[in-house]
Amino acid sequence: MSLIKAMEDMFLENPQCDVSTPVDVRVPVHTLQPVKRYLDSRNLQYSIMIEDLQVMLDEEQEEMDSVARDAEPRSTDAFDYGRYHTLNEIYSFQDMLVAENPNLVSKMVIGQSYQGRPLNVLKFSTGGTKRPAIWIDTGIHSREWVTQASGTWFAKKIVSDYGRDPALTAILNRMDIFLEIVTNPDGYYYTHNSNRMWRKTRKPNPGSNCVGVDPNRNWDAGFGGAGASGNPCSETYRGPRAHSESEVKSIVDFVKSHGNMKAFISIHSYSQMLLYPYGYTRTPVKDQTELHNLAKKAITDLASLYGTRYRYGSIINTIYQASGGTIDWTYNQGIKYSYTFELRDTGRYGFILPANQIIPTAKETWLALMALMTHTNNNPY
Amino acid sequence: MRLKIIIVLTILTGITGSPSITIRPEVELVDNKQRISEQQNLVTETDEVVEDVMATGELNPNHYPAQRAAKVVQHYINTLYGSPFKVFHLHRVHSGNAEDVADSGRKYQLEISVQEMISNTSGKCSAEVFFSRGDKQHSPQVQVMCEELLKINTTKEEDAFYQHLKKNTSLLSAEYLPDSHGHIEPDMKPLWHLASVASSFIMLNESTQDTLFNMAQVANVTQLATESDQLKFEYLILLHEMVSQEIIRWKLLVSWCPPEGVKVLQMEKLPHCHECEKPPNTN
């Protein structure tokens, strides 16, 4: 073949302008011999850096594939609960859990996030139709990573304890548990890839540079009142109207159509608190006494494990006034046992809680959840 | 209530002629008994009172007014006694009292417990916090008296760290303390502690009755060369304000040496970063 043709097929990896700097050339196999002859005839010095590029690429791909295979747990028993996981890892976990426990767990997709991600809810049920149910959500605020991590641990705990722990077995024999682990998946993805401190949804606001709505100010309870912001740039922006966020609306629609939710527990971090309604008004809820006393029992159980101290009370007294909040809406829907947790810690690490505290946090919180769920199960209404 | 249900069901039965409705009052009785005994097992008390935030007199230590004032005391203690090896954190509010002072502001009296995080020791403190009101917005004024807690000896560690950095020919720098997963390299912990202490000056200045500040993360820190005995660092720190939930960015120029303690030489609040991009965490 002519040399000119051969030269057309060569690829200069690092074109140089001056004559003294070496140039790297990638030579297709069909031009290899002509190129070698040309270089030799001109006394141009060369050395072979890579004999066969394709072989090298194949080996590298094989190595990457095997690393990827080793990194993905093959079962929920092999899943590392003491580490923070990506959104995809949690989605895979959910599918594995369902596959391993088909008679107890199913996955429901209650809607889509703004960016089109599935809003997955795990349903733990031993049968029946529209049984009275308990709802638990984690990760509604995406930067609160210990909550999604704890939610993952709770999911595994439920399947491990059913049939072994009498208290949980009693609950599941009469009630269903719904668990939404990543309630704000767009936000969660953003905290991994762009801004660890992102709180809100990722929906753009027309007429503003600022993105996102606070999903815990977007519910139809005291919406528009003090305790939320009307400014899209604010971390507590309530949104253009109640339930404007699909992440919120999906839960609203699900709860309404289910019609038999008896407890609703929304989990946040940080501050170490167990809170009941209201956040939007100082008027106490009708069930104040019962909710207060149950909270006291729950945090006493929580403290029994590691001595972690929680405060408890209504939202507006204990932390701040907040309008458009989740559990204010759920309580007003008639879900009496509506609670919000603020998990570890009290500000030393805040949102960026060390991963070695995930499991202790999940374990102690589980004791409080069991107190709430047991009471709910024993006090039908 | 039960009687009403029975009547309604009977009527329905009459209309439809369907024998399928079963009334089981015995079962309901059992449920009621269970319900009553369950509630009796819980101590029936209500310590939850609707508290007006402008309440005068005794405060509920678990509610936010006392808690916010107590957090200010934490910041104050750190500005006086904190170091790369000594950082204090509010542990608990035992009791609190508040009163208005003429037109000038509001004074809190608090009994709190404070914990030194590195030695893991805690002790009690009595404190007074004064928040001024009106046109002249000063930072809160604090007086505090603590048990031996503040006399914890960290001279050895501080001197060793100081000497190590003074001898080092290269200047330290780091970013994201802790990283996204809450991890801090052991070598970097003193710089993280130093940031907590330096932040306390800002958090103290910025605090009001409507705020609660914590340091969220050190975005980056760079050691600067100095001619003097002081070690100097430039920090970019993220603070978290709980009530607004905002992340506030501050640039700080900080100096430290064991005899002089921590000083903030310059401070600059940076504009709100709406789309703060950071590179994916390498973990």
Side-chain angles (χ1 to χ4, degrees):
Chain A
M1 89 152 43
S2 79
L3 185 62
I4 293 166
K5 186 90 178 52
M7 303 261 296
E8 276 173 14
D9 290 342
M10 291 191 324
F11 187 82
L12 291 173
E13 298 284 354
N14 57 341
Q16 299 290 343
C17 293
D18 77 289
V19 293
S20 56
T21 313
V23 170
D24 298 340
V25 182
R26 173 155 51 95
V27 183
V29 67
H30 59 276
T31 65
L32 187 57
Q33 293 313 316
V35 168
K36 272 184 161 174
R37 280 196 299 271
Y38 176 79
L39 294 172
D40 290 337
S41 74
R42 287 290 203 273
N43 252 329
L44 291 165
Q45 287 198 307
Y46 66 89
S47 62
I48 298 168
M49 294 167 73
I50 299 168
E51 281 277 351
D52 187 334
L53 188 60
Q54 189 58 53
V55 166
M56 200 182 93
L57 289 174
D58 289 343
E59 281 172 3
E60 197 178 80
Q61 187 63 50
E62 175 51 47
E63 197 191 303
M64 279 171 23
D65 288 345
S66 96
V67 167
R69 275 195 299 272
D70 289 338
E72 274 170 32
R74 262 156 259 180
S75 75
T76 63
D77 285 326
F79 189 87
D80 189 349
Y81 297 93
R83 254 187 54 222
Y84 292 111
H85 289 273
T86 64
L87 183 60
N88 280 340
E89 287 168 355
I90 297 178
Y91 280 153
S92 301
F93 165 85
Q94 291 169 346
D95 290 335
M96 278 196 297
L97 193 74
V98 170
E100 293 164 14
N101 303 275
N103 295 325
L104 183 58
V105 196
S106 57
K107 184 178 83 174
M108 307 176 65
V109 186
I110 62 168
Q112 282 191 327
S113 70
Y114 171 74
Q115 291 173 335
R117 294 186 172 86
L119 299 171
N120 291 338
V121 173
L122 295 177
K123 177 183 179 184
F124 300 86
S125 178
T126 61
T129 325
K130 280 280 167 75
R131 281 183 171 175
I134 295 159
W135 167 281
I136 303 170
D137 66 74
T138 53
I140 195 170
H141 286 142
S142 37
R143 61 190 180 196
E144 299 166 6
W145 277 19
V146 72
T147 71
Q148 299 95 335
S150 295
T152 311
W153 188 91
F154 299 150
K156 181 62 172 172
K157 180 67 171 165
I158 293 170
V159 306
S160 306
D161 273 10
Y162 180 69
R164 288 193 190 84
D165 173 61
L168 181 73
T169 307
I171 293 165
L172 277 173
N173 282 344
R174 203 183 77 83
M175 303 183 78
D176 292 339
I177 300 174
F178 292 97
L179 174 61
E180 187 175 6
I181 298 174
V182 191
T183 307
N184 178 4
D186 295 349
Y188 192 58
Y189 181 82
Y190 198 71
T191 59
H192 279 271
N193 292 279
S194 298
N195 181 354
R196 176 64 178 81
M197 294 295 171
W198 192 259
R199 164 185 171 91
K200 301 188 285 181
T201 63
R202 286 297 302 165
K203 183 143 127 262
N205 293 300
S208 172
N209 291 344
C210 298
V211 174
V213 167
D214 184 343
N216 199 23
R217 299 290 187 280
N218 188 240
W219 300 71
D220 196 6
F223 188 85
S229 172
N231 181 349
C233 296
S234 166
E235 294 282 24
T236 56
Y237 176 49
R238 63 173 65 96
R241 62 188 179 284
H243 307 170
S244 61
E245 304 311 282
S246 61
E247 293 82 353
V248 170
K249 182 75 162 59
S250 303
I251 302 174
V252 167
D253 291 345
F254 179 78
V255 166
K256 277 181 158 168
S257 76
H258 184 276
N260 208 14
M261 213 63 84
K262 296 301 175 188
F264 193 104
I265 302 161
S266 193
I267 302 184
H268 292 252
S269 77
Y270 60 94
S271 286
Q272 293 176 201
M273 295 170 177
L274 177 52
L275 305 166
Y276 52 81
Y278 288 119
Y280 74 94
T281 173
R282 288 200 181 273
T283 307
V285 289
K286 185 170 59 74
D287 300 290
Q288 159 99 339
T289 308
E290 187 186 356
L291 294 187
H292 191 77
N293 293 328
L294 177 56
K296 183 174 188 172
K297 163 125 187 29
I299 61 110
T300 305
D301 289 354
L302 187 152
S304 70
L305 198 54
Y306 302 111
T308 306
R309 295 195 78 251
Y310 266 56
R311 293 186 283 130
Y312 62 102
S314 65
I315 295 168
I316 197 166
N317 276 337
T318 313
I319 188 168
Y320 43 49
Q321 183 176 32
S323 63
T326 309
I327 65 166
D328 287 0
W329 181 82
T330 60
Y331 183 84
N332 285 347
Q333 292 297 303
I335 305 173
K336 178 164 58 157
Y337 302 112
S338 289
Y339 284 94
T340 283
F341 278 85
E342 293 280 355
L343 303 186
R344 289 195 195 182
D345 60 11
T346 55
R348 185 183 188 200
Y349 288 97
F351 299 121
I352 323 188
L353 195 71
N356 63 17
Q357 290 197 44
I358 295 172
I359 295 178
T361 302
K363 283 183 166 170
E364 66 190 10
T365 308
W366 181 251
L367 298 182
L369 286 174
M370 281 301 295
L372 300 179
M373 296 196 292
T374 302
H375 184 89
T376 305
N377 188 39
N378 291 340
N379 294 275
Y381 60 93
Chain B
M1 181 62 180
R2 275 202 321 279
L3 198 58
K4 282 192 197 147
I5 294 175
I6 293 168
I7 291 168
V8 164
L9 288 169
T10 317
I11 292 169
L12 283 172
T13 317
I15 290 167
T16 64
S18 161
S20 61
I21 299 163
T22 334
I23 302 156
R24 284 190 289 225
E26 320 85 62
V27 175
E28 272 189 88
L29 259 174
V30 172
D31 280 345
N32 265 343
K33 271 202 191 132
Q34 271 184 343
R35 206 173 304 144
I36 291 163
S37 66
E38 244 290 313
Q39 283 186 341
Q40 278 170 350
N41 286 337
L42 299 171
V43 178
T44 43
E45 37 141 311
T46 319
D47 27 309
E48 176 84 345
V49 168
V50 176
E51 185 170 82
D52 185 356
V53 69
M54 285 297 129
T56 298
E58 203 181 322
L59 299 174
N60 186 320
N62 295 308
H63 290 179
Y64 68 74
Q67 290 284 331
R68 288 178 196 173
K71 195 57 120 160
V72 173
V73 180
Q74 172 197 305
H75 299 321
Y76 178 74
I77 293 174
N78 278 320
T79 62
L80 289 187
Y81 300 102
S83 85
F85 292 90
K86 207 185 284 177
V87 179
F88 296 94
H89 205 72
L90 174 68
H91 183 61
R92 205 175 143 184
V93 180
H94 298 286
S95 64
N97 218 282
E99 63 183 22
D100 285 322
V101 178
D103 273 325
S104 59
R106 199 164 159 73
K107 186 170 83 169
Y108 289 76
Q109 281 164 328
L110 303 162
E111 299 295 319
I112 65 176
S113 288
V114 151
Q115 196 176 18
E116 199 289 300
M117 304 312 289
I118 301 156
S119 62
N120 201 13
T121 51
S122 56
K124 288 201 162 128
C125 301
S126 298
E128 258 182 34
V129 182
F130 178 74
F131 292 104
S132 64
R133 216 197 299 278
D135 299 328
K136 284 185 243 167
Q137 283 299 313
H138 303 293
S139 33
Q141 290 162 320
V142 184
Q143 284 176 327
V144 70
M145 237 171 41
C146 294
E147 301 171 342
E148 308 85 59
L149 182 73
L150 302 177
K151 299 198 200 111
I152 295 166
N153 196 319
T154 49
T155 315
K156 233 174 48 179
E157 297 92 322
E158 288 176 24
D159 286 343
F161 179 67
Y162 175 79
Q163 292 303 330
H164 175 72
L165 289 192
K166 270 294 173 193
K167 285 199 196 117
N168 219 356
T169 48
S170 63
L171 298 170
L172 278 185
S173 72
E175 51 170 28
Y176 301 116
L177 306 175
D179 69 14
S180 287
H181 299 244
H183 178 73
I184 307 170
E185 283 298 307
D187 287 347
M188 290 298 146
K189 277 208 162 155
L191 290 188
W192 178 60
H193 296 141
L194 180 59
S196 292
V197 176
S199 300
S200 299
F201 286 86
I202 312 300
M203 297 192 286
L204 175 63
N205 281 356
E206 298 287 303
S207 288
T208 69
Q209 291 177 88
D210 301 317
T211 60
L212 191 126
F213 285 98
N214 287 294
M215 184 179 81
Q217 191 181 38
V218 176
N220 60 56
V221 54
T222 312
Q223 185 183 0
L224 304 176
T226 56
E227 303 283 297
S228 69
D229 287 338
Q230 308 279 335
L231 291 171
K232 261 198 195 142
F233 301 89
E234 192 177 82
Y235 278 98
L236 175 52
I237 290 174
L238 307 180
L239 300 183
H240 173 235
E241 200 288 294
M242 185 70 74
V243 180
S244 64
Q245 291 291 346
E246 297 293 333
I247 301 292
I248 307 160
R249 306 187 312 145
W250 282 86
K251 201 165 91 168
L252 300 182
L253 183 61
V254 180
S255 76
W256 174 72
C257 66
E260 307 226 354
V262 180
K263 287 189 168 56
V264 176
L265 304 176
Q266 281 170 35
M267 58 187 95
E268 186 191 339
K269 184 169 167 181
L270 297 181
H272 197 131
C273 179
H274 292 302
E275 294 300 315
C276 267
E277 302 287 312
K278 79 160 183 69
N281 214 270
T282 44
N283 224 54

